[in-house]
Amino acid sequence: MPQRIKELRNLLNSPKKISLIIHRNPDGDAIGAASALYSVFNKMGHQTHLISPNEIPEYLQWLPNTDKTLIFDSNKEESIRLIQDSDIIFTLDFNDFSRTGNELEEVLHSLKNKTFVLIDHHLEPSDYANYMFSDHHRSSTSEMVYEFIVELGKKDLLDKVIAKSLYTGIMTDTGSFKFPNTTSTTMRIAADLMDLGINHNKIQIKIYDSFSYDKLRLLGEALNKLVFLPEYKTAYIALTKKELHKYHYQKGDTEGFVNYGLSLKDSNFAVIFLENDNEGVRISFRSKGKFPANEFAKKYFNGGGHLNAAGGRTNLSMEGAITLFKEKLPEFKEQILAAND
Ligand code: 5GP
Ligand code: MN
């Protein structure tokens, strides 16, 4: 790896055209990491473009550079042209092109002779990158991007704006430094970022204390509908299209809801089912301790992710999805019950 970063450092010594690509339904980590690199590369004199497969959720639209982000879904031609025209493509916070959605995935697969750089903290990265910085022990891609910038020898380019992006990415992916993925390195990097003058409390408020009235009432509905299955130490919530529309659902409104299921004293596994307008049912999985939520997601819901936080989807109806879920619980029962042993 030190050799590879040296090679990349040389490559980045002269101005390049760079595309930064993040995963579909981007979260604070993906956007934070990309926003930071966007600022750093611009300072270095590169021509940089930040491309998101779909829109940036409203609760993250205050992040630096989100106003300059090109949304693939609504600007396909321009996005494709910019990607095809880049010298270097950074893929951030995902391990496989499929995480960008069908159409963008196809574009990425069709590219010839491009230099790909992957920076990511998910398991099992696909083998497309010329330079791969992959480590599933890291809390977040933003944590890795901080180290990447340092390794490039560009620590002096870090400023308050870049720190704001990276801190937000680390904070959101660690659940404010409480998930098991938080390490002493995470804390040291967060401390370095704080020293650059960010207002960490303001960031906390922007993310967690900025709910709309509709979102808070939707949370009320979700909590009322929470089902607890004590024999499986499992809690789940299902929200139908109709329920979501009743509270004028906006992308990102259900962010964090799944964690309430896990806040139950006796739950080790929490799930939320969200009925989409056109894409079947999206599911988020969370677990405590060593129960692999990602294995459940991968095996039955076309998804994956981290040990304690995973996602997936199905074309089944809501009812079908819940039935399948309950059918498969017995298979994982022992593992779920033993999560904290
Ligand atoms: P969320 O539940 O917040 O949407 O996703 C939690 C984590 O699961 C994400 O950080 C991501 O790593 C992973 N994830 C979410 N959706 C998918 C998916 O459809 N496929 C895969 N492989 N991982 C996903
Ligand atoms: Mn992440």
Side-chain angles (χ1 to χ4, degrees), residues 16 22 41 57 85 131 134 174 225 242 260 263 266 285 326:
K16 293 284 181 300
I22 55 182
F41 288 153
D85 195 38
Y131 301 92
S134 165
T174 58
K225 292 195 67 196
K242 206 172 146 196
Y260 285 92
S263 69
D266 286 323
F285 304 84
K326 286 193 192 161

Side-chain angles (χ1 to χ4, degrees), residues 87-149:
D87 305 308
I88 310 179
I89 299 169
F90 280 73
T91 66
L92 302 165
D93 200 37
F94 64 88
N95 57 358
D96 189 78
F97 289 158
S98 61
R99 297 280 289 117
T100 62
N102 293 342
E103 277 180 84
L104 186 49
E105 173 182 11
E106 225 172 89
V107 173
L108 292 171
H109 273 302
S110 71
L111 296 170
K112 303 257 178 328
N113 305 317
K114 291 283 177 213
T115 299
F116 275 102
V117 183
L118 170 153
I119 307 180
D120 179 47
H121 67 135
H122 292 91
L123 288 158
E124 300 170 359
S126 293
D127 189 22
Y128 60 80
N130 307 73
Y131 301 92
M132 181 150 95
F133 304 96
S134 165
D135 185 352
H136 70 267
H137 297 295
R138 305 311 293 263
S139 73
S140 51
T141 300
S142 295
E143 179 180 316
M144 296 179 74
V145 163
Y146 174 88
E147 288 199 339
F148 178 78
I149 294 166

Side-chain angles (χ1 to χ4, degrees), residues 23-25 27 29 93-96 98-99 120-123 173 255-256 258 272 282-286 294 297-298 301-306 308-313:
H23 58 79
R24 207 169 171 78
N25 302 321
D27 56 8
D29 185 29
D93 200 37
F94 64 88
N95 57 358
D96 189 78
S98 61
R99 297 280 289 117
D120 179 47
H121 67 135
H122 292 91
L123 288 158
D173 255 29
E255 191 68 35
V258 62
I272 190 166
R282 248 208 70 79
I283 306 138
S284 288
F285 304 84
R286 299 291 185 270
N294 52 357
K298 189 174 174 185
F301 290 97
N302 313 302
H306 311 281
N308 300 114
R313 58 174 311 282

Side-chain angles (χ1 to χ4, degrees), residues 2 21 52 75 109 129 185 191 193 213 241 251 285 298:
I21 300 182
S52 175
N75 302 278
H109 273 302
T185 303
L193 296 171
Y213 184 48
K241 265 189 272 199
K251 244 197 170 60
F285 304 84
K298 189 174 174 185

